[in-house]
Structures are given as structure tokens and as C-alpha cells.
Amino acid sequence: MKKILKYIFAGMAAMSVVACSEDALETSPSSSVSGNELLGTATNALVSLNGVYRAMYTAGVSNSSNTHQCFGITAYNLVADVMGEDCIMNGQGSGWFWYDCVYNVKSRYTSTGWRSYDMWNGYYTWISNVNYILAEEETMSGSETEKNYVLGQAYAVRAYSYFMLAQMFSRTYKGHESEPCVPLYTEPTDIATEGKGRATIEEVYQQITSDLDKAITMLGNSGKRKHISHINEAVASGIKARVALVMEDWQTALDAANAAISKSGCSVGTGTAVTGGMNDATANNVMWAAEIIADQSGMYAGFFTHMDADQGKYGASARKQINKLLYAKLGTNDVRKKWWNPQDENNEKNGYQQEKFKFKDYAKWTGDYIFMRIEEMFLTAAEASCRLNDDKGARLMLNSLMQKRDEDYTCKKTGTALGKLTSDETGSLLEEIIIQRRIELWGEFGRIYDIRRLKQGFRRTADMGWPSSALIAGTDTEDPESYAWVLTIPQTEFDGNPNMDPSKDQNPIGDHK
């Protein structure tokens, strides 16, 4: 507990102030003022909240000893993507993300330099910080609009953080509701706070949905969003749609996705919004993003360094490539084919080199981090409609997206059948929606999260383009109940929390209990 629950200033005081324009993100709370001065007004509380957002894309905040693979949301999404079958790493390179890719991180839970500590510490730090803001809900000064703007975002950040913790440190929701998840904290904590035991998965998801409902209500009455990095009503609805998919609450997923579409003002990306390197927060399809300026790029310790081979760094020594069998499902005229290069001379026998994520400016190491796009909401609405046996509505949502990707695309499929393995194809409408989701969200969502909730297993094969060193033959990924996808809890939590017993509360290090 001492290691993960930090005061609102922790990790933020050293952050620089962004240029003072109307759209600038002020992220420099000063440790020289008292907590009451900092959080007592909506205006000051927003500065602290901006510090939390800054931590979501700044290298080393959650893990200062392994910064090159620890840079917030995009790092965590990449972790979950390379754990699946579609985002191929063609080699170890310097080692960043390779151990996630080959399932060799769970045994490293005693170290503060590896993934267990990084993700646990990162998400709980965000939770701890917004809990201080939420504690001021009844006394915070400012107009109702100003307070709704800050408090609504704080509720959404807490919900998002608990959702991602649940995704990584427990099994998926449906069928496992009574199993242990993660400790729940909704009040301010400090070094003297006694740690709590693991709440159940059901309890954690109840907190998540409650927080999201509050966030959506408040943000619906909070005025115009000040910065693209801020969660607004549409983004909170998008997070709610993600949660509802995992909970298999199809009607809520459909309603939330439709709300996100209508409230966002975004439209399905075309032209450079699709083929321009997925690096522009101002694109018309972007719902939520971090706008990266030169002094915030992280340089080597950043997403594009790991993805863009043309920079000549980690993206070149550990190339990210698409599963060739998945690429083959793209239509001849699908504009997304430009996201990968089958003719790249460095492909060798592996998958096809990615071109989807590119630096915006190589000299400055800049490119914006995109956290949520409107295309995801169309795919979510399509899946939810299909699950509700509304094939016509599902095809309408799918085609609304796909006709902007491939003018020749039409879908007349029906049904919800899925194979036991992702490679066991059934020809159903639901499978088609998932395939398009795999293509559209490649590299940016986290494939393993979908594999878990869909209760499918998967295989990596040389035919897909996976190198032999990453075939993970000794790891059981074919069983949807596998613990291979459940991360171990860091030893620091057990050391500082008297209500956590490693003999009872630690997740299995192997695939099965």
C-alpha cells in the first residue's frame, strides 16, 4: 500500500507547464500549496486532474526503472496487443515488450522494474489522485458547470482505471463474478492508510458502472471540452460501451455506443485520418487523445519509437507486423491495406510490416497518442445489435464503417456463432464484425482483452508470420479459462498491505490454478 497510493502531488510536481494558449494543458500542480488550496476550487482541481492525464502518456511515472516500455495507456494497449495472435513482434530487439509477447513476465512480480508493478502502480496512482479530487465534491467552490467538468472526469478516470486493472489482474467478468479482483478504494489514501483485501469481480464492476453513470450525468452538464485529452460525455459513454461488452450487457453496450457516436460530433475517418500515420489528435474521427508536444515526446521511451521502423530505433529492431492470415481478409480496395506493407524487405518470413503508426515529426520525436476513435463505437454497436439478434441493425452499423474503408464491401451474413479458437471460422455475422474489429483496432486497443471476453482460445503459427521464438508452445492459450492472461500482483502490494496474503491472494504464475 505504501508503494502504490500516492498523494495528489506525487509524480506530478516535476512536470513542466505547457505553453499558455487557450487549448494548452496546464499540468503543473505545485507541491508548495496545501491540499485545500489545490483542490478547494474547480479551477485548481482541474490543474491536478491535468497532472493525472499527463501521467497517462509520460514515460517513467508508473515505473522509473524501466521507462522505455512504461509510458501509460498506449504502452498498456500494446502489451495487450502483442499478447494475442495478430500483432506480431518479429524479434526481441532490446527486449521492450518482448517478455509480454512471449509470456515471460508473471514470474517477475517481485521486481519493481516489470509489468506487474508498472500496471498496478500506474492505475492505482491515478485512482489515488482522483480520489482526493472526489473527496472535495461537497465543498468544492465554483459554478455547477465547472464542478461537473472536473468531478465528472474524476469519476470517469477512476472507472477507467479500475476497469483496466480488472482486465489484467483477474479473469473476465462473465462466469467469474464471484472470483477475486482487486482492492477497491474510493476515499483519499496516504502512507498510513491500511490496505484492503481483494474485492470480487462483481463488486469492482459495480463500482465501475456506478462511477461511469455519475460521470456521464455530470459531463452532460459541463459545457464545452477544454482539451482533447479530457474525458467528455462521449468518451465516458465510450468507456461504458467497452465495459458493457465485457459484462455481456448488450443493450447497454448498444445504447452507450450510440450515445458516444451522437454526442462526440466525430465521423468515420477518411483520407489522411486513416492513412496519415494515426498520429493526429485533431482528426475528425478522434474522440480522446493526448496531444504530444516536443518536450513531452519521451523520445526513445514512447509509442511511436516502438512502432515506426523508419525512425531506426526499437521499431526497426523489434518490428511490429500484422498476422498475414488476417491481412488476407482485407478487400482489394480496402484503404486500410496501406497500414501494412507486404513488400517490405525486412518482412522476411514473418508478418507484414506496420505503417499504421508513424511519427508526425521525426526531428522532434512527436506524434499524438490516440486513445479512442469513433470507429470503435460503430463496431461495438454492430456487435451489440448482432448479439441482440438484430442482424439488420448490425449490418447497418458495420456497413456504415466499412463503406468508408472499402467501397466494394457488402455484408449479408447472419448469426452469432464463434469458433472455439479464433482460427475456427464459422462464417457468422458476429465473426465478421470481430474480424473487422481486429483489423480496424490493430495495435491500439489490446487484442487479448477481446479474446478473453469472447471466451476463445488462439494459436500462433508460422503461417501467420510468427517467428519460431514467439510461438509460445509451452503456454496454454487455447483454453478460454487460461490464467496465462491474468497478471500476477506485485510483491510490493503484499509487503505493504496486511490484508493481502500472497499464499491466498496471488494469481497463479502458470496457466492454470
Coordinates of all heavy atoms in Angstrom, one line a residue, residues 302-358:
G302 N 8.7 5.9 -25.9 CA 7.4 6.3 -26.4 C 6.8 5.4 -27.4 O 7.5 4.5 -28.0
F303 N 5.5 5.5 -27.7 CA 4.8 4.5 -28.5 C 5.4 4.4 -29.9 O 5.6 3.4 -30.4 CB 3.3 4.9 -28.5 CG 2.5 4.0 -29.4 CD1 2.2 2.7 -29.0 CD2 1.9 4.5 -30.5 CE1 1.4 1.9 -29.7 CE2 1.0 3.7 -31.3 CZ 0.8 2.4 -30.9
F304 N 5.6 5.6 -30.6 CA 6.0 5.6 -32.0 C 7.4 5.0 -32.1 O 7.7 4.4 -33.2 CB 5.8 7.0 -32.6 CG 4.4 7.4 -32.7 CD1 3.9 8.4 -31.8 CD2 3.6 6.9 -33.6 CE1 2.6 8.8 -31.9 CE2 2.2 7.3 -33.7 CZ 1.8 8.3 -32.8
T305 N 8.2 5.2 -31.1 CA 9.6 4.6 -31.2 C 9.5 3.1 -31.3 O 10.3 2.5 -32.0 CB 10.4 5.0 -30.0 OG1 10.3 6.4 -29.8 CG2 11.8 4.6 -30.1
H306 N 8.5 2.5 -30.7 CA 8.3 1.0 -30.7 C 7.6 0.6 -32.0 O 7.6 -0.6 -32.3 CB 7.6 0.6 -29.5 CG 8.4 0.7 -28.2 ND1 9.3 -0.3 -27.9 CD2 8.4 1.6 -27.3 CE1 9.9 0.1 -26.7 NE2 9.4 1.2 -26.4
M307 N 6.9 1.5 -32.7 CA 6.1 1.1 -33.8 C 6.7 1.5 -35.2 O 6.6 0.7 -36.1 CB 4.7 1.7 -33.7 CG 4.0 1.4 -32.4 SD 3.7 -0.4 -32.2 CE 2.4 -0.7 -33.4
D308 N 7.3 2.6 -35.2 CA 7.7 3.2 -36.5 C 9.2 2.8 -36.8 O 10.1 3.4 -36.3 CB 7.6 4.7 -36.5 CG 7.8 5.4 -37.8 OD1 8.2 4.7 -38.8 OD2 7.5 6.6 -37.9
A309 N 9.3 1.9 -37.8 CA 10.7 1.4 -38.1 C 11.5 2.4 -38.8 O 12.8 2.3 -38.8 CB 10.6 0.1 -39.0
D310 N 10.9 3.4 -39.4 CA 11.6 4.4 -40.2 C 12.5 5.3 -39.3 O 13.4 6.0 -39.8 CB 10.7 5.2 -41.0 CG 10.1 4.5 -42.2 OD1 10.7 3.4 -42.5 OD2 9.1 4.9 -42.7
Q311 N 12.2 5.3 -38.0 CA 13.0 6.1 -37.1 C 14.3 5.4 -36.8 O 15.3 6.0 -36.3 CB 12.2 6.4 -35.8 CG 13.0 7.2 -34.7 CD 13.1 8.7 -35.1 OE1 13.3 9.0 -36.2 NE2 12.9 9.6 -34.2
G312 N 14.3 4.1 -37.1 CA 15.6 3.3 -36.9 C 15.9 2.9 -35.5 O 17.0 2.4 -35.2
K313 N 14.9 3.0 -34.6 CA 15.2 2.6 -33.2 C 14.5 1.2 -32.9 O 14.6 0.3 -33.7 CB 14.7 3.7 -32.3 CG 15.4 5.0 -32.6 CD 16.9 5.0 -32.5 CE 17.5 6.4 -32.8 NZ 19.0 6.3 -32.9
Y314 N 13.8 1.1 -31.8 CA 13.2 -0.1 -31.4 C 12.2 -0.6 -32.5 O 12.0 -1.8 -32.6 CB 12.4 0.0 -30.1 CG 13.3 0.6 -29.0 CD1 12.7 1.5 -28.1 CD2 14.6 0.3 -28.9 CE1 13.5 2.1 -27.1 CE2 15.4 0.9 -27.9 CZ 14.9 1.8 -27.0 OH 15.6 2.3 -26.0
G315 N 11.5 0.3 -33.2 CA 10.5 -0.1 -34.2 C 11.2 -0.9 -35.3 O 10.5 -1.6 -36.1
A316 N 12.5 -0.7 -35.5 CA 13.3 -1.4 -36.5 C 13.9 -2.7 -36.0 O 14.0 -3.7 -36.8 CB 14.3 -0.5 -37.1
S317 N 14.3 -2.7 -34.8 CA 15.0 -3.9 -34.3 C 14.0 -4.9 -33.7 O 14.3 -6.1 -33.6 CB 15.9 -3.5 -33.1 OG 15.3 -2.9 -32.0
A318 N 12.7 -4.5 -33.4 CA 11.7 -5.4 -33.0 C 10.4 -5.0 -33.7 O 9.5 -4.4 -33.1 CB 11.5 -5.4 -31.5
R319 N 10.4 -5.3 -35.0 CA 9.3 -4.8 -35.8 C 7.9 -5.4 -35.5 O 7.8 -6.5 -35.1 CB 9.6 -5.2 -37.3 CG 10.8 -4.4 -37.8 CD 11.2 -4.8 -39.2 NE 12.3 -4.0 -39.7 CZ 12.1 -2.9 -40.5 NH1 10.9 -2.6 -40.9 NH2 13.1 -2.2 -40.9
K320 N 6.9 -4.5 -35.6 CA 5.5 -4.9 -35.3 C 4.9 -5.1 -36.7 O 4.9 -4.2 -37.6 CB 4.8 -3.8 -34.6 CG 5.5 -3.3 -33.3 CD 5.9 -4.4 -32.3 CE 6.5 -3.8 -31.1 NZ 7.8 -3.2 -31.3
Q321 N 4.3 -6.3 -36.8 CA 3.8 -6.7 -38.1 C 2.4 -7.4 -37.9 O 2.1 -7.8 -36.8 CB 4.7 -7.7 -38.8 CG 6.1 -7.2 -38.9 CD 7.1 -8.3 -39.4 OE1 7.0 -9.4 -38.9 NE2 8.1 -7.9 -40.1
I322 N 1.6 -7.4 -39.0 CA 0.3 -8.0 -38.9 C 0.3 -9.5 -39.2 O 1.1 -9.9 -40.1 CB -0.7 -7.3 -39.8 CG1 -2.2 -7.7 -39.5 CG2 -0.4 -7.5 -41.3 CD1 -3.2 -6.9 -40.2
N323 N -0.5 -10.2 -38.6 CA -0.8 -11.6 -38.9 C -1.2 -11.7 -40.4 O -2.1 -11.1 -40.8 CB -2.0 -12.1 -38.0 CG -2.6 -13.4 -38.3 OD1 -2.3 -14.0 -39.4 ND2 -3.4 -13.9 -37.4
K324 N -0.4 -12.4 -41.2 CA -0.7 -12.5 -42.6 C -2.0 -13.1 -43.0 O -2.6 -12.7 -44.0 CB 0.4 -13.3 -43.3 CG 1.8 -12.7 -43.3 CD 2.8 -13.4 -44.2 CE 3.2 -14.8 -43.6 NZ 4.3 -15.4 -44.4
L325 N -2.5 -14.0 -42.2 CA -3.8 -14.5 -42.5 C -4.9 -13.5 -42.2 O -6.0 -13.5 -42.9 CB -4.1 -15.8 -41.6 CG -3.0 -16.9 -41.8 CD1 -3.4 -18.1 -40.9 CD2 -2.9 -17.3 -43.2
L326 N -4.7 -12.7 -41.2 CA -5.7 -11.6 -41.0 C -5.6 -10.6 -42.1 O -6.7 -10.1 -42.6 CB -5.4 -10.9 -39.7 CG -6.4 -9.8 -39.3 CD1 -7.8 -10.3 -39.1 CD2 -5.9 -9.1 -38.0
Y327 N -4.4 -10.2 -42.5 CA -4.2 -9.3 -43.7 C -4.9 -9.7 -44.9 O -5.5 -8.9 -45.7 CB -2.8 -9.0 -43.9 CG -2.5 -8.1 -45.0 CD1 -2.4 -6.7 -44.8 CD2 -2.3 -8.5 -46.4 CE1 -2.1 -5.8 -45.8 CE2 -2.1 -7.6 -47.4 CZ -2.0 -6.3 -47.1 OH -1.7 -5.4 -48.1
A328 N -4.9 -11.1 -45.1 CA -5.5 -11.6 -46.3 C -7.0 -11.4 -46.4 O -7.7 -11.6 -47.5 CB -5.2 -13.1 -46.4
K329 N -7.7 -11.1 -45.3 CA -9.1 -10.8 -45.2 C -9.5 -9.4 -45.7 O -10.7 -9.1 -45.8 CB -9.6 -11.1 -43.8 CG -9.5 -12.5 -43.4 CD -10.1 -12.8 -42.0 CE -9.8 -14.2 -41.6 NZ -10.4 -15.2 -42.5
L330 N -8.5 -8.6 -45.9 CA -8.8 -7.2 -46.4 C -9.1 -7.3 -47.9 O -8.5 -8.0 -48.7 CB -7.5 -6.3 -46.3 CG -7.2 -5.8 -44.9 CD1 -5.8 -5.5 -44.7 CD2 -8.1 -4.6 -44.5
G331 N -10.2 -6.5 -48.3 CA -10.6 -6.4 -49.7 C -9.5 -5.8 -50.5 O -8.7 -5.0 -50.0
T332 N -9.6 -6.0 -51.8 CA -8.6 -5.5 -52.8 C -8.5 -3.9 -52.7 O -7.4 -3.3 -52.7 CB -8.9 -5.9 -54.2 OG1 -8.9 -7.3 -54.3 CG2 -7.9 -5.3 -55.2
N333 N -9.6 -3.3 -52.5 CA -9.7 -1.8 -52.5 C -9.9 -1.3 -51.1 O -10.2 -0.1 -50.9 CB -10.8 -1.4 -53.4 CG -10.6 -1.7 -54.8 OD1 -9.5 -1.6 -55.3 ND2 -11.7 -2.1 -55.5
D334 N -9.6 -2.0 -50.1 CA -9.7 -1.5 -48.7 C -8.6 -0.6 -48.4 O -7.4 -1.0 -48.5 CB -9.7 -2.7 -47.7 CG -10.1 -2.4 -46.3 OD1 -9.7 -1.3 -45.8 OD2 -10.8 -3.2 -45.7
V335 N -8.9 0.6 -48.0 CA -7.8 1.7 -47.8 C -6.9 1.3 -46.7 O -5.8 1.8 -46.6 CB -8.5 3.0 -47.5 CG1 -9.2 3.5 -48.8 CG2 -9.4 3.0 -46.3
R336 N -7.4 0.4 -45.8 CA -6.5 0.0 -44.6 C -5.4 -0.8 -45.0 O -4.5 -1.1 -44.2 CB -7.4 -0.7 -43.6 CG -8.5 0.2 -43.0 CD -9.4 -0.6 -42.1 NE -10.1 -1.7 -42.8 CZ -11.0 -2.5 -42.2 NH1 -11.3 -2.3 -40.9 NH2 -11.6 -3.4 -42.9
K337 N -5.3 -1.3 -46.3 CA -4.2 -2.1 -46.7 C -2.9 -1.3 -46.6 O -1.8 -1.8 -46.5 CB -4.4 -2.6 -48.1 CG -5.5 -3.6 -48.3 CD -5.6 -4.2 -49.6 CE -4.6 -5.4 -49.7 NZ -4.8 -6.2 -50.9
K338 N -3.1 0.1 -46.7 CA -1.9 0.9 -46.6 C -1.3 0.9 -45.2 O -0.2 1.5 -45.0 CB -2.3 2.4 -47.0 CG -2.7 2.5 -48.4 CD -3.1 3.9 -48.8 CE -3.5 4.0 -50.2 NZ -3.9 5.4 -50.6
W339 N -2.0 0.4 -44.2 CA -1.5 0.3 -42.8 C -0.3 -0.7 -42.7 O 0.4 -0.7 -41.7 CB -2.6 -0.1 -41.9 CG -3.5 1.1 -41.5 CD1 -3.4 2.4 -41.8 CD2 -4.8 1.0 -40.8 NE1 -4.4 3.1 -41.4 CE2 -5.3 2.3 -40.7 CE3 -5.5 -0.1 -40.3 CZ2 -6.5 2.6 -40.1 CZ3 -6.7 0.2 -39.6 CH2 -7.2 1.5 -39.6
W340 N -0.2 -1.6 -43.7 CA 0.9 -2.6 -43.6 C 1.5 -2.8 -45.0 O 0.9 -2.5 -46.0 CB 0.3 -3.9 -43.2 CG -0.4 -3.8 -41.8 CD1 0.3 -3.9 -40.6 CD2 -1.8 -3.7 -41.6 NE1 -0.7 -3.7 -39.6 CE2 -1.9 -3.6 -40.2 CE3 -2.9 -3.6 -42.4 CZ2 -3.2 -3.5 -39.5 CZ3 -4.2 -3.4 -41.7 CH2 -4.3 -3.4 -40.4
N341 N 2.7 -3.2 -45.1 CA 3.5 -3.3 -46.3 C 4.0 -4.7 -46.5 O 5.0 -5.1 -46.0 CB 4.7 -2.4 -46.3 CG 5.4 -2.4 -47.6 OD1 5.0 -3.0 -48.6 ND2 6.6 -1.7 -47.6
P342 N 3.2 -5.5 -47.3 CA 3.7 -6.9 -47.6 C 5.0 -7.0 -48.4 O 5.7 -8.0 -48.3 CB 2.5 -7.5 -48.5 CG 1.4 -6.6 -48.2 CD 2.0 -5.2 -48.0
Q343 N 5.4 -5.9 -49.0 CA 6.6 -5.9 -49.8 C 7.9 -5.4 -49.1 O 9.0 -5.3 -49.6 CB 6.4 -5.0 -51.1 CG 5.7 -5.7 -52.2 CD 4.2 -5.8 -51.9 OE1 3.6 -4.8 -51.5 NE2 3.6 -7.0 -52.1
D344 N 7.7 -5.0 -47.8 CA 8.8 -4.5 -47.1 C 9.9 -5.6 -47.0 O 9.7 -6.7 -46.7 CB 8.4 -4.2 -45.6 CG 9.5 -3.4 -44.9 OD1 10.6 -4.0 -44.6 OD2 9.3 -2.2 -44.6
E345 N 11.2 -5.2 -47.4 CA 12.3 -6.1 -47.5 C 12.6 -6.7 -46.1 O 13.3 -7.7 -46.1 CB 13.5 -5.4 -48.1 CG 14.0 -4.3 -47.3 CD 15.2 -3.6 -47.9 OE1 15.5 -3.9 -49.1 OE2 15.8 -2.7 -47.2
N346 N 12.2 -6.1 -45.1 CA 12.5 -6.7 -43.7 C 11.5 -7.7 -43.2 O 11.6 -8.2 -42.1 CB 12.7 -5.5 -42.7 CG 13.8 -4.6 -43.1 OD1 15.0 -5.0 -42.9 ND2 13.5 -3.4 -43.6
N347 N 10.5 -7.9 -44.0 CA 9.4 -8.9 -43.5 C 10.0 -10.3 -43.4 O 9.6 -11.0 -42.5 CB 8.3 -8.9 -44.5 CG 7.4 -7.7 -44.5 OD1 7.4 -7.0 -43.5 ND2 6.7 -7.4 -45.6
E348 N 10.9 -10.7 -44.3 CA 11.5 -12.0 -44.3 C 10.4 -13.0 -44.3 O 9.5 -12.9 -45.2 CB 12.4 -12.2 -43.1 CG 13.6 -11.2 -43.2 CD 14.5 -11.3 -41.9 OE1 14.1 -12.0 -41.0 OE2 15.6 -10.7 -42.0
K349 N 10.3 -14.0 -43.4 CA 9.3 -15.0 -43.4 C 8.2 -14.6 -42.4 O 7.3 -15.4 -42.1 CB 9.8 -16.3 -43.0 CG 10.8 -16.9 -44.1 CD 11.3 -18.3 -43.6 CE 12.3 -18.8 -44.7 NZ 12.8 -20.2 -44.2
N350 N 8.3 -13.4 -41.8 CA 7.4 -13.0 -40.8 C 6.1 -12.3 -41.3 O 5.8 -12.4 -42.5 CB 8.1 -12.1 -39.7 CG 9.3 -12.8 -39.1 OD1 10.3 -12.3 -39.0 ND2 9.1 -14.1 -38.7
G351 N 5.4 -11.6 -40.5 CA 4.2 -10.9 -40.9 C 4.6 -9.7 -41.8 O 5.7 -9.5 -42.2
Y352 N 3.6 -8.8 -42.0 CA 3.8 -7.7 -42.8 C 4.0 -6.4 -42.0 O 3.2 -6.1 -41.1 CB 2.6 -7.5 -43.8 CG 2.3 -8.7 -44.7 CD1 1.0 -9.0 -45.1 CD2 3.4 -9.5 -45.2 CE1 0.8 -10.1 -45.9 CE2 3.1 -10.5 -46.0 CZ 1.8 -10.9 -46.4 OH 1.6 -11.9 -47.2
Q353 N 5.0 -5.7 -42.3 CA 5.4 -4.5 -41.6 C 4.3 -3.5 -41.4 O 3.6 -3.1 -42.4 CB 6.6 -3.9 -42.3 CG 7.1 -2.5 -41.7 CD 7.5 -2.7 -40.2 OE1 8.1 -3.7 -39.8 NE2 7.2 -1.6 -39.4
Q354 N 4.2 -2.9 -40.2 CA 3.1 -2.0 -40.0 C 3.6 -0.6 -40.4 O 4.7 -0.2 -40.3 CB 2.7 -1.9 -38.5 CG 3.6 -1.2 -37.6 CD 3.3 0.3 -37.5 OE1 2.1 0.7 -37.7 NE2 4.3 1.1 -37.2
E355 N 2.6 0.2 -41.0 CA 2.8 1.6 -41.4 C 1.7 2.4 -40.8 O 1.5 3.6 -41.1 CB 2.8 1.8 -42.9 CG 3.9 0.9 -43.6 CD 5.3 1.4 -43.3 OE1 5.4 2.6 -43.0 OE2 6.2 0.6 -43.5
K356 N 0.9 1.8 -39.9 CA -0.3 2.5 -39.3 C 0.1 3.6 -38.4 O -0.6 4.6 -38.3 CB -1.2 1.4 -38.6 CG -2.5 2.0 -38.0 CD -3.3 0.9 -37.3 CE -4.6 1.4 -36.8 NZ -5.3 0.3 -36.0
F357 N 1.1 3.4 -37.6 CA 1.5 4.3 -36.6 C 2.9 4.9 -36.9 O 3.9 4.2 -36.9 CB 1.6 3.6 -35.2 CG 0.3 3.0 -34.8 CD1 0.1 1.6 -35.0 CD2 -0.8 3.8 -34.3 CE1 -1.1 1.0 -34.6 CE2 -2.0 3.2 -34.0 CZ -2.1 1.8 -34.1
K358 N 2.9 6.2 -37.2 CA 4.2 6.8 -37.7 C 4.4 8.1 -36.9 O 3.4 8.8 -36.5 CB 4.1 7.2 -39.2 CG 3.7 6.0 -40.1 CD 4.8 5.0 -40.2 CE 5.9 5.4 -41.1 NZ 6.9 4.3 -41.3

